[in-house]
Amino acid sequence: MNVVVLGAGSWGTAVACLLRDNGHDVVLAARDHDQVAVINETGRNPRYATGADLRGIAAAAIDAAPIAGAELVVLAVPSRVFGEVASSLPGDSPILSLTKGLDPATGARLSTLVRGRPVAVLSGPNIADEIVRGLPAAAVVASDDLELAVRLQVAVHSALFRVYVSDDIAGVELCAAAKNVIALAAGGADGLSLGDNAKAALVARGLAEMRRLAESAGARPDTFAGLAGMGDLIVTCWAPTGRNRRAGELVARGATAEEAATEIGQVVEGLTTAPVMRDLAHRLGIELPITEGVCAVLEGTPLTDLVTSLMRRAPTTE
């Protein structure tokens, strides 16, 4: 296929490599013209996934990328601009979303912002730097259009990147958004040195929150035990390089959310998603105590107060 990947961050760069390695013609599009020039001149991304060999991948500025003639458009852009970018694309070729978040303006799942063309999402425990180093990984591609999901599975699947198919796009998207918020809390536990018992309990209860949220939106329970649910949650909460976990750790050690994002130097989706997910839970009438707590900390509540309040919640059944 002729593929355009919009967004030359770490994950967009990694997926561009996966597609190139499977024989597709890939254009990697970035906003920064200097970044585009360096990629074309050196075969390396100067900012993200710097170890990736990009030879055989053409780089282009987003406003000059051959989107109209692409057979597949891959969106690896921040959630805050996803709807704007998706609605401005020419043509009617399918979209594969790599973005893990919710629309900040409406709380909607990002795939629902795509109009007039098929859409699928790719999610799972996928640390970009490991993938560009050739380490084995797995993911799930989800779509309401099962035929499209299977075609994309074939397009991306390899001996090092195993891809499964799902038709539970709501569950996959909500897991992908929620796990970043739980990872902020897990990073906070690391920053306070609360220990592995506390962190494991937090992650397990975080998975329960993810399930409660997604089931209220009609998702299937088995999605949460899979790659998009438990798999992605585990790696996001434990990987040392995970942006959301690292942001939570920095906040626990005294940084503001803005300072943490600046130090990390990449988009930290959990910081955007947390208040959106809290508001969505209020509309759905469900309890997400960890998410509520993360929002309270981001708004100024001391993290130690959050730990105390969570531990003092009334005991209940699991």
Side-chain angles (χ1 to χ4, degrees), residues 134-188:
L135 298 178
V140 58
V141 61
S143 179
D144 292 328
D145 182 341
L146 196 56
E147 181 181 346
L148 172 64
V150 171
R151 281 195 286 129
L152 294 177
Q153 176 191 39
V154 172
V156 184
H157 183 93
S158 72
L160 290 174
F161 192 73
R162 185 170 177 82
V163 181
Y164 294 79
V165 162
S166 171
D167 61 359
D168 185 15
I169 190 170
V172 169
E173 282 192 285
L174 288 170
C175 282
K179 61 93 185 179
N180 284 330
V181 179
I182 305 304
L184 289 172

Side-chain angles (χ1 to χ4, degrees), residues 140-292:
V140 58
V141 61
S143 179
D144 292 328
D145 182 341
L146 196 56
E147 181 181 346
L148 172 64
V150 171
R151 281 195 286 129
L152 294 177
Q153 176 191 39
V154 172
V156 184
H157 183 93
S158 72
L160 290 174
F161 192 73
R162 185 170 177 82
V163 181
Y164 294 79
V165 162
S166 171
D167 61 359
D168 185 15
I169 190 170
V172 169
E173 282 192 285
L174 288 170
C175 282
K179 61 93 185 179
N180 284 330
V181 179
I182 305 304
L184 289 172
D190 288 339
L192 293 180
S193 300
L194 297 182
D196 289 331
N197 289 336
K199 185 174 177 180
L202 175 70
V203 172
R205 296 313 303 161
L207 183 62
E209 285 199 13
M210 290 166 57
R211 178 170 182 158
R212 195 177 307 136
L213 173 69
E215 282 189 329
S216 69
R220 292 201 309 267
D222 58 344
T223 298
F224 313 99
L227 292 166
M230 184 170 63
D232 203 4
L233 180 64
I234 290 170
V235 77
T236 306
C237 291
W238 259 274
T241 57
R243 284 172 276 175
N244 293 280
R245 190 213 62 80
R246 178 65 177 147
E249 184 178 28
L250 290 170
V251 169
R253 293 177 176 172
T256 66
E258 293 76 14
E259 289 168 344
T262 298
E263 179 166 335
I264 291 167
Q266 299 186 60
V267 174
V268 182
E269 283 288 1
L271 298 175
T272 301
T273 302
V276 180
M277 203 164 82
R278 175 193 59 191
D279 295 345
L280 176 60
H282 291 172
R283 292 197 298 272
L284 294 172
I286 58 174
E287 278 194 324
L288 302 181
I290 296 174
T291 300
E292 293 276 1

Side-chain angles (χ1 to χ4, degrees), residues 108-140:
R109 292 185 290 109
L110 298 179
S111 70
T112 66
L113 306 180
V114 177
R115 301 283 189 270
R117 63 176 77 214
V119 60
V121 300
L122 182 72
S123 193
N126 303 140
I127 299 296
D129 286 342
E130 293 188 2
I131 289 170
V132 300
R133 287 162 50 201
L135 298 178
V140 58

